[in-house]
Amino acid sequence: MSETTYALGHSSAEIQRLKNQAAMLRPITERLLRGAGIDIGGRVLDLGCGAGDVSLLAAELVGPAGYVVGIDHSQEVLNVARKRAQEAGLRQIGFVRALVEDSSVDESFDLVIGRYILIHQQEPVALLCKAARLVRPGGSLAFHEVRMSGVTKSFPYVPLWDLTINLVRIALQSSVSNYDGADRLGEHFTEAGLPYPHPFCEELVGGSADSPLYGSLAELLQTLQPQPERTRIMTAETIAMDGLESRLRDAVIEARSQIYGPAQVCAWARL
């Protein structure tokens, strides 16, 4: 298979955005890992590890007696991941430069996990087949994906929040290969000849002054802005980026609104 391109790139700003995003997603991913059976002393493979957030979490859960391997095709993000593991004192992690689709890892793992991976795959079923071969008998395969096709609103209605959300959704729809992948996890697993997975879904909800959702949405639109401009969906004048995070926060607080981020869909299966 050919290399899958990460639509948002690997700039220093994007790596920092991913770290910020990971802080919000951590509790959900941890529930997925625990549901999938992660345990002390376990061996875990993190597909498309990026800056290493899932690998770091898994390493904490398996402890010093376990081992985690994170793979990614970007040497730049792997360097960041290695440094973070060293700073955290987690010696039970190794990072390998490899394509998710063509990983040459020839060992088996108790758990193989990918976060925000299937949405970027032109052939998600093929990736699942490959990943399943890396799971030992009785081990688990787990994925955490973002549901981009769902309706994300503010209540009471905040025009700036909804406009920003819609622009992000349109830009992502034209950028990622498997836009509705989170809604098709059951289909993808079964087409790969795997057991129907155990799914669950959680939503990110905010509205307080300290909610991380404002910054997360503003950062994501900033990263995506060139894409909608190329497709003539949005020009630089459609929405002012300067101070967007603060303006989103002020608008939501003034309306005493409850805002929703995109739903997170997780699924795992024991093989």
Side-chain angles (χ1 to χ4, degrees), residues 80-96:
V80 173
R82 289 193 184 99
K83 182 178 180 181
R84 296 177 73 195
Q86 291 170 358
E87 291 174 346
L90 296 172
R91 298 184 178 181
Q92 63 271 33
I93 306 181
F95 293 102
V96 178

Side-chain angles (χ1 to χ4, degrees), residues 23-38 54 57-58 61 111 113 115 142-144 198-205 264-268:
M24 294 192 301
L25 299 180
R26 178 186 168 105
I28 302 173
T29 303
E30 181 172 348
R31 281 188 278 278
L32 172 61
L33 289 169
R34 292 188 183 280
I38 197 170
V54 175
L57 171 58
L61 296 177
L111 173 62
I113 182 169
R115 185 167 76 185
F143 285 89
H144 177 165
H198 302 275
F200 69 88
C201 179
E202 297 190 19
E203 283 188 290
L204 300 170
V205 186
Q264 309 296 309
V265 182
C266 301
W268 65 272

Side-chain angles (χ1 to χ4, degrees), residues 187-211:
E187 175 188 350
H188 290 335
F189 268 71
T190 53
E191 283 190 359
L194 305 175
Y196 195 92
H198 302 275
F200 69 88
C201 179
E202 297 190 19
E203 283 188 290
L204 300 170
V205 186
S208 63
D210 61 353
S211 172

Side-chain angles (χ1 to χ4, degrees), residues 61-101:
L61 296 177
V62 300
Y67 193 65
V68 178
V69 176
I71 65 171
D72 200 284
H73 75 273
S74 169
Q75 188 61 56
E76 184 177 7
V77 293
L78 289 175
N79 292 340
V80 173
R82 289 193 184 99
K83 182 178 180 181
R84 296 177 73 195
Q86 291 170 358
E87 291 174 346
L90 296 172
R91 298 184 178 181
Q92 63 271 33
I93 306 181
F95 293 102
V96 178
R97 187 180 183 188
L99 301 181
V100 172
E101 306 91 324

Side-chain angles (χ1 to χ4, degrees), residues 52-229:
D53 292 283
V54 175
S55 297
L56 293 170
L57 171 58
E60 293 175 16
L61 296 177
V62 300
Y67 193 65
V68 178
V69 176
I71 65 171
D72 200 284
H73 75 273
S74 169
Q75 188 61 56
E76 184 177 7
V77 293
L78 289 175
N79 292 340
V80 173
R82 289 193 184 99
K83 182 178 180 181
R84 296 177 73 195
Q86 291 170 358
E87 291 174 346
L90 296 172
R91 298 184 178 181
Q92 63 271 33
I93 306 181
F95 293 102
V96 178
R97 187 180 183 188
L99 301 181
V100 172
E101 306 91 324
D102 299 321
S103 171
S104 58
V105 176
D106 57 2
E107 55 185 310
S108 60
F109 295 84
D110 301 302
L111 173 62
V112 174
I113 182 169
R115 185 167 76 185
Y116 288 16
I117 295 300
L118 293 179
I119 58 172
H120 294 288
Q121 302 300 313
Q122 293 181 356
E123 301 178 34
V125 174
L127 183 139
L128 282 168
C129 290
K130 173 64 178 179
R133 290 195 288 271
L134 300 172
V135 179
R136 67 162 179 81
S140 297
L141 180 62
F143 285 89
H144 177 165
E145 302 294 332
V146 57
R147 187 171 189 257
M148 294 182 288
S149 59
V151 176
T152 305
K153 294 288 186 179
S154 53
F155 300 93
Y157 173 59
V158 177
L160 181 61
W161 178 264
D162 286 43
L163 170 62
T164 309
I165 281 282
N166 287 332
L167 289 172
V168 165
R169 181 181 292 112
I170 292 169
L172 285 172
Q173 190 169 13
S174 61
S175 302
V176 301
S177 300
N178 189 23
Y179 178 76
D180 59 353
D183 292 318
R184 301 174 63 187
L185 289 173
E187 175 188 350
H188 290 335
F189 268 71
T190 53
E191 283 190 359
L194 305 175
Y196 195 92
H198 302 275
F200 69 88
C201 179
E202 297 190 19
E203 283 188 290
L204 300 170
V205 186
S208 63
D210 61 353
S211 172
L213 286 175
Y214 313 118
S216 177
L217 184 60
E219 290 169 355
L220 182 53
L221 184 61
Q222 178 70 58
T223 300
L224 286 166
Q225 192 173 22
Q227 178 66 24
E229 286 181 351

